[in-house]
Amino acid sequence: MKRKNITLALTLCLSGLYFHNAFAISDAYRAQLENSGCTQVSEANGTCNSEDSNQYDTSDDSSEARHHHHHHRADPDAADDVARGIDRHIAGKYQGRAVDYMEDQGWESLNDERTRWRKAGFIADFDINQNSGQIMGVSVH
């Protein structure tokens, strides 16, 4: 009986360590969201633009500041977080279902094949198995 309790306690501790950060976002992406004024809900449903920070919305409205702001590259850690989130929903699905998901999440298609998408300063490209039409994954930059 004592052995079962020890095994159970050890299993719970190890699984707690294993799953502790499974759904965490990177510090860089968290900072980007904090600067944008987005909430978790608005970011998840596609109504916020994490590339637009409050400082640009409220202070310097010069065309030079806006030009610089809208043309910088997304943080690679943030792009990886976005890619993992999309992959969880579309990997292994057929392209039609993946397109439905992207549209539901507020992504804008950038090509006729509907394999390249834009949202909140990120560009997502489908990796499609040409033989089966299934999505193998997505790359985000």
Side-chain angles (χ1 to χ4, degrees), residues 77-134:
D77 290 335
D80 289 344
D81 288 339
V82 171
R84 279 191 294 275
I86 295 171
D87 274 341
R88 280 195 306 267
H89 295 281
I90 69 169
K93 305 278 194 263
Y94 290 100
Q95 186 177 355
R97 290 190 123 184
V99 166
D100 290 343
Y101 172 80
M102 297 299 276
E103 288 176 341
D104 289 346
Q105 296 304 307
W107 287 83
E108 172 191 1
S109 177
L110 296 177
N111 61 4
D112 291 337
E113 296 82 20
R114 301 175 66 110
T115 58
R116 178 167 259 219
W117 301 83
R118 175 179 48 211
K119 177 182 172 185
F122 294 103
I123 302 292
D125 291 299
F126 289 168
D127 177 17
I128 301 176
N129 180 322
Q130 296 301 319
N131 294 327
S132 68
Q134 287 181 305

Side-chain angles (χ1 to χ4, degrees), residues 11-108:
T11 302
L12 290 173
C13 287
L14 290 176
S15 64
L17 291 173
Y18 181 75
F19 291 110
H20 175 67
N21 284 328
F23 299 106
I25 62 173
S26 70
D27 289 335
Y29 188 52
R30 180 179 293 109
Q32 184 179 356
L33 288 174
E34 287 172 358
N35 289 337
S36 72
C38 295
T39 65
Q40 288 177 333
V41 173
S42 65
E43 196 274 335
N45 70 18
T47 60
C48 86
N49 183 348
S50 61
E51 289 293 303
D52 288 335
S53 70
N54 285 335
Q55 88 184 52
Y56 289 102
D57 292 340
T58 59
S59 61
D60 190 358
D61 199 28
S62 70
S63 62
E64 182 180 336
R66 279 180 290 166
H67 175 77
H68 172 74
H69 175 67
H70 289 292
H71 288 87
H72 70 75
R73 293 193 141 298
D75 180 286
D77 290 335
D80 289 344
D81 288 339
V82 171
R84 279 191 294 275
I86 295 171
D87 274 341
R88 280 195 306 267
H89 295 281
I90 69 169
K93 305 278 194 263
Y94 290 100
Q95 186 177 355
R97 290 190 123 184
V99 166
D100 290 343
Y101 172 80
M102 297 299 276
E103 288 176 341
D104 289 346
Q105 296 304 307
W107 287 83
E108 172 191 1

